[in-house]
């Protein structure tokens, strides 16, 4: 059912504190890339997972591609643009609290949807396509149109088009455009994977049932609403709505990429034909492991007992 997975978006250079103040380690992460990374961890080797973004021709871009390949994520659909470099973010730790600074306004990834023929090839070669509100937020309006055209075509062709709204107001140039574009993203999707805290804050949903009804009203077939430590609510077409609890975690170390790892692990199992409830229980175990470690991408060895 899941076939070949294509995740679309921005992967950035990540600088995180390495031991002492002012010493930083370098990594690579970004919401849809994190989902690709986790889907890869739990799929058989015969299943391909690709990332579609745009990078430059510089050294850091080449290192980023090597990192993706090293993680088993295919880079055959990555566009290369001259004179641009990857975006970057820095994680600050102050008294245990994390905050982020971003340098991404001119990042190469903004060009990911500039070539409609390239988009059509990548989408045409894939069975499951994953994108997010962050993917849409970094694109110019005409690039959003191109991407959503390609994705609507994929949905109409019966592919699984997965959208995580991941609403980040800082990335948008206005609230009205943000909400309207997120809703357009949902209309192009068959499976929505929102976080309830984003949806209630920005769309004003009073309950998870309202979030589900709003997205159903836009024509979305399946909705998985994540609600942090409480668990997830699954509303799949033709099935009763079901609740699946989160896996208990005694000490949360770092919640970065909880939702992304949930998405990737869920898609790996659901795509292999597992029932949504079983895939969600598995994904909750993976996310629980991920938040007991620092950073977005937790090594496979630390996830094994989730599988
Ligand atoms: P996001 O990171 O996108 O905001 P959530 O916070 O809803 O997403 O978390 C995604 C998933 O991660 C949840 O569905 C749950 O399985 C797991 N999770 C998040 N926070 C906790 C927690 N404190 N304890 C256990 N599981 C958690």
């Amino acid at each position: 059912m899941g076939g070949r997975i294509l995740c679309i978006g921005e992967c950035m250079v990540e600088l995180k504190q390495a031991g002492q103040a002012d010493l930083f380690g370098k990594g690579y992460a970004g919401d849809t890339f994190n989902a690709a990374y986790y889907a890869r961890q739990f799929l058989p080797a015969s299943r391909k997972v690709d990332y579609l973004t745009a990078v430059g021709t510089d050294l850091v871009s080449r290192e980023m591609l090597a990192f993706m390949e090293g993680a088993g994520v295919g880079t055959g659909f990555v566009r290369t643009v001259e004179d641009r470099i990857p975006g970057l973010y820095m994680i600050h730790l102050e008294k245990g609290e994390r905050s982020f600074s971003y340098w991404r306004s001119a990042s190469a990834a903004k060009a990911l949807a500039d070539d409609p023929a390239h988009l059509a090839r990548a989408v045409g070669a894939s069975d499951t396509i994953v994108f997010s509100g962050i993917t849409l937020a970094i694109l110019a309006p005409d690039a959003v149109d191109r991407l959503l055209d390609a994705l609507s075509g994929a949905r109409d062709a019966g592919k699984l088009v997965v959208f995580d709204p991941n609403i980040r107001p800082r990335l948008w140039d206005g609230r009205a455009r943000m909400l309207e574009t997120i809703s357009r993203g949902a209309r192009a999707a068959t499976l929505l994977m929102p976080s309830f805290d984003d949806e209630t804050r920005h769309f004003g949903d009073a309950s998870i049932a309202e979030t589900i009804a709003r997205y159903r009203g836009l024509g979305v077939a399946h909705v998985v609403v994540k609600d942090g430590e409480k668990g997830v609510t699954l509303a799949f077409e033709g099935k009763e709505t079901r609740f699946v609890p989160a896996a208990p975690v005694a000490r949360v170390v770092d919640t970065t990429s909880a939702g992304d790892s949930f998405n990737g692990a869920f898609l790996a199992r659901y795509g292999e034909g597992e029932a949504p409830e079983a895939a969600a229980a598995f994904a909750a175990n993976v996310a629980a492991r991920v938040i007991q470690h620092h950073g977005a991408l937790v090594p496979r060895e630390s996830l094994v007992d989730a599988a």
Side-chain angles (χ1 to χ4, degrees), residues 164 166 195 197 226-229 231-232 246-249 252 255 258-259 262 284 287-288 291:
D164 182 342
N166 252 336
S195 287
D197 55 356
K226 292 166 281 182
D227 194 13
E229 67 201 44
V232 297
V249 173
V252 175
T255 57
F262 183 96
I291 64 178

Side-chain angles (χ1 to χ4, degrees), residues 122-241:
V123 167
S126 308
D127 307 286
T128 295
I129 300 127
V130 181
F131 72 116
S132 78
I134 296 177
T135 311
L136 298 177
I138 65 163
L139 300 178
D142 59 333
V144 168
D145 294 347
R146 276 192 294 278
L147 179 60
L148 293 182
D149 276 354
L151 295 174
S152 302
R155 182 206 52 204
D156 294 346
K159 298 184 189 233
L160 184 66
V161 180
V162 184
F163 180 52
D164 182 342
N166 252 336
I167 308 175
R168 300 287 179 272
R170 271 208 287 177
L171 293 178
W172 294 90
D173 52 16
R175 183 181 146 77
R177 178 164 177 263
M178 173 176 88
L179 298 182
E180 189 225 311
T181 311
I182 296 280
S183 298
R184 285 179 61 206
R187 279 197 197 92
T190 44
L191 169 58
L192 253 279
M193 302 189 78
S195 287
F196 183 62
D197 55 356
D198 285 352
E199 304 298 318
T200 187
R201 184 172 312 133
H202 302 295
F203 281 102
D205 299 336
S207 64
I208 287 172
E210 272 190 32
T211 301
I212 292 168
R214 183 167 49 77
Y215 284 125
R216 277 276 172 80
L218 296 176
V220 176
H222 315 303
V223 186
V224 176
V225 183
K226 292 166 281 182
D227 194 13
E229 67 201 44
K230 296 197 200 88
V232 297
T233 304
L234 308 170
F236 276 65
E237 202 165 56
K239 289 188 156 210
E240 257 175 58
T241 298

